[in-house]
Amino acid sequence: MNFPKVSFGHVTVARIILFQKKPPVSEFTDSVLFALERKENVVHIRLADSDTFYVNIDSENPELIRKSGADLSALVSAKKIKKVSLVSSLDEELNIAFLEGMLLATYEFDRYKSEASRKSIPDEIHLDKSYCSQSVLQELLHVCESVKIARDWVNEPVNFLTAEKLAEEFTKLSASAGFSIEVFDKTKIENMKMGGILAVNLGSPNPPTFSIMEYKPANAVNSKPIVLVGKGVVYDTGGLSLKPTEGSMDFMKCDMAGGAVVGAVLGAVALNKLPLHIIGLVPATENRPSGNAFTPGDIITMFDGTTVEVLNTDAEGRLILADALAFARQYNPALVIDLATLTGSAARAIGKNAAVMMGTADEATKEKLKTSGFKTFERLVEFPLWDDYKESIKSDIADLNNIGGPEAGAITAGKFLEHFTSYPWLHLDIAAPAFLKAQEAYRTKGGTGYGVRLLYNFLKNYR
Ligand code: BES
Ligand code: ZN
Ligand code: ZN
């Protein structure tokens, strides 16, 4: 046996009691009813050594309930409560939404912070037996853990998270979650003639990587794999087409968010043992100016032989993704979904409340992905992929140019990517929702992991 841990110091214990409409009968019922009349949905009863929060869940909407979970998480943190027990008379789905909001809101990127300045979060959460089933809880914990991993990677600056480090992180996760991985190094990428990745990497002192992750369980229901592709620009200075420091470069460590989501989703799928064959591809590099950097006007030859006139080195994401999308052809995939912090244009068009989606997959698949978007509140807005938009990526001296015109930048970037696909494909531009400058409920400041819960939900319901 283990003796209980005996130590000095006061531990604050809290009970959170969720109810709908009618509070449970207790000595506090009258005070709770009185508070409800005043339209207060959280009633805090404070005794000498314990706190009880009565939480009126005034809704069936999972997103509002996640937000309520995030609110309670903030209260628990502010009061430095270390042990929480959750009691509820709600349905399992709503209980899970509350816990999901609570857990995701506890996140803080604290690796570089001293103990004293870290956010206080509970180290134990106890659930009533009837709160949810063991398997549903386990699944939620794996998904939340995957979101946390994606957030950590996005929040890591490039002086830690180089392309090689990112591949190492994927390798560590592959071992703990249970999927396989192969990492192409610079020599292999050169031998493969992945001209887009190599061009973007030219200005960087650190070599590129190309990570190929695979989860292929014996009970996979899909005979053709689903391939996920993520942009892995570990830092985007713009290259020689340098971004202005003020505002637009500050947060560009987030430019590998698509790649982070792909790695984290492989982790979630493997941990929860979904019966699906899934492949994840992440081309990764920095985009920097230097004496050797690729230069506006350069004509480069991509992995599939397409030539591209580089008119702006800041439109680098599409160059590395194009090589990965062309590489994906060999798998004869049922579906390819790429995620990328690709354009300021997508961010300007719809902001941080949704990702821009476009692609050639059939309507039914698009609908399913959009439905997962609404369910997880990682919503998608579809943009057109009409051929009219192809005009602006034509070049007089090469097959394509990499900037498109002054208008519809998110779409012309999509048209550029489409050129390298030959299978049902969807492109998600997550430029705005991938990274927040201030916390919004359970979406904490910095990397959000936007796309992990969306794709996990889509894959879980696949077919
Ligand atoms: N990484 C940026 C896009 C971006 C912008 C991500 C804001 C997150 C927040 C991308 O590489 C880029 O610079 N795109 C250019 C393309 C243009 C030069 C054609 C853009 O959108 O301005
Ligand atoms: Zn760029
Ligand atoms: Zn970029």
Side-chain angles (χ1 to χ4, degrees):
M1 64 151 309
N2 290 325
F3 283 115
K5 196 175 148 214
V6 182
S7 58
F8 292 104
H10 180 77
V11 175
T12 316
V13 184
R15 281 197 307 160
I16 298 177
I17 299 175
L18 309 184
F19 68 93
Q20 248 169 341
K21 296 188 184 82
K22 261 192 168 164
V25 179
S26 75
E27 68 257 52
F28 306 119
T29 308
D30 284 345
S31 356
V32 177
L33 286 172
F34 183 61
L36 285 180
E37 270 170 32
R38 293 196 310 261
K39 303 253 174 286
E40 288 167 19
N41 278 333
V42 179
V43 183
H44 181 192
I45 310 247
R46 172 144 223 169
L47 298 178
D49 58 351
S50 76
D51 290 77
T52 304
F53 298 91
Y54 285 90
V55 184
N56 178 26
I57 302 291
D58 188 20
S59 163
E60 299 281 326
N61 176 338
E63 178 62 6
L64 291 180
I65 299 175
R66 276 180 217 117
K67 286 186 170 157
S68 170
D71 288 347
L72 266 291
S73 183
L75 282 174
V76 164
S77 286
K79 296 181 188 305
K80 301 200 187 324
I81 291 164
K82 288 296 173 191
K83 293 191 196 320
V84 172
S85 78
L86 261 177
V87 178
S88 169
S89 54
L90 276 54
D91 292 346
E92 183 177 67
E93 190 201 344
L94 305 185
N95 287 341
I96 284 291
F98 186 87
L99 183 57
E100 182 176 39
M102 249 195 111
L103 289 174
L104 291 174
T106 60
Y107 176 83
E108 180 183 51
F109 182 58
D110 60 7
R111 195 179 151 198
Y112 299 95
K113 290 177 94 172
S114 60
E115 189 68 37
S117 60
R118 287 180 183 169
K119 170 156 96 183
S120 162
I121 61 165
D123 40 42
E124 287 176 27
I125 297 180
H126 298 268
L127 307 178
D128 247 17
K129 272 264 178 309
S130 63
Y131 195 86
C132 62
S133 74
Q134 177 65 39
S135 60
V136 167
L137 172 64
Q138 193 53 257
E139 182 179 33
L140 175 75
L141 294 177
H142 284 150
V143 172
C144 290
E145 180 62 22
S146 304
V147 172
K148 173 192 162 354
I149 291 172
R151 288 179 179 179
D152 276 346
W153 288 337
V154 173
N155 289 328
E156 279 291 357
V158 68
N159 67 342
F160 171 79
L161 200 82
T162 59
E164 283 178 316
K165 257 303 192 325
L166 181 62
E168 266 174 45
E169 292 284 317
F170 289 152
T171 306
K172 273 195 233 158
L173 180 64
S174 75
S176 61
F179 60 85
S180 62
I181 184 165
E182 183 182 1
V183 179
F184 291 171
D185 63 8
K186 185 174 179 181
T187 310
K188 178 76 179 177
I189 294 169
E190 282 168 351
N191 294 341
M192 300 289 292
K193 299 194 163 52
M194 292 180 153
I197 301 173
L198 291 167
V200 176
N201 183 252
L202 276 176
S204 169
N206 300 309
T209 55
F210 187 88
S211 296
I212 303 167
M213 296 169 268
E214 182 167 26
Y215 182 65
K216 192 179 186 185
N219 63 347
V221 297
N222 55 332
S223 51
K224 295 162 140 200
I226 299 166
V227 180
L228 307 178
V229 177
K231 173 174 174 181
V233 172
V234 287
Y235 197 84
D236 184 11
T237 66
L240 286 177
S241 311
L242 194 65
K243 288 179 186 292
T245 317
E246 178 80 32
S248 67
M249 203 193 292
D250 306 9
F251 302 102
M252 278 303 141
K253 66 177 184 181
C254 80
D255 216 16
M256 35 55 72
V261 169
V262 169
V265 169
L266 262 284
V269 166
L271 286 168
N272 286 327
K273 300 194 168 44
L274 292 189
L276 283 177
H277 181 196
I278 300 186
I279 292 169
L281 304 175
V282 180
T285 176
E286 284 154 58
N287 182 25
R288 287 192 191 272
S290 87
N292 200 38
F294 78 137
T295 307
D298 279 359
I299 298 173
I300 62 176
T301 303
M302 311 292 280
F303 174 68
D304 76 341
T306 301
T307 55
V308 175
E309 181 186 11
V310 177
L311 291 177
N312 188 318
T313 62
D314 196 12
E316 84 297 338
R318 66 196 75 186
L319 300 175
I320 70 168
L321 287 169
D323 283 349
L325 289 171
F327 185 82
R329 290 178 189 161
Q330 68 190 280
Y331 300 110
N332 188 24
L335 174 66
V336 175
I337 304 178
D338 79 72
L339 296 102
T341 44
L342 201 64
T343 65
S345 161
R348 281 190 296 277
I350 55 166
K352 58 187 156 38
N353 296 316
V356 166
M357 176 187 103
M358 63 199 89
T360 56
D362 60 26
E363 285 305 316
T365 306
K366 286 180 183 172
E367 276 312 311
K368 281 183 192 159
L369 193 61
K370 284 182 202 167
T371 301
S372 290
F374 286 115
K375 279 197 192 145
T376 56
F377 228 66
E378 294 188 338
R379 293 170 294 177
L380 301 169
V381 175
E382 186 173 0
F383 277 20
L385 199 65
W386 300 322
D387 274 341
D388 313 56
Y389 294 104
K390 221 154 72 179
E391 281 306 307
S392 67
I393 54 167
K394 283 187 176 155
S395 162
D396 294 336
I397 55 172
D399 296 329
L400 298 173
N401 80 61
N402 79 328
I403 46 168
E407 293 168 342
I411 302 176
T412 54
K415 288 309 278 182
F416 184 95
L417 297 180
E418 181 192 22
H419 175 92
F420 299 88
T421 66
S422 57
Y423 38 66
W425 159 74
L426 292 173
H427 159 58
L428 310 185
D429 193 330
I430 56 170
F435 194 92
L436 295 181
K437 290 174 187 151
Q439 177 163 358
E440 288 182 8
Y442 60 89
R443 278 196 191 116
T444 45
K445 187 174 174 169
T448 58
Y450 198 98
V452 175
R453 292 166 55 250
L454 165 74
L455 285 187
Y456 180 79
N457 185 279
F458 172 77
L459 293 170
K460 186 187 161 177
N461 296 309
Y462 188 77
R463 234 172 278 224

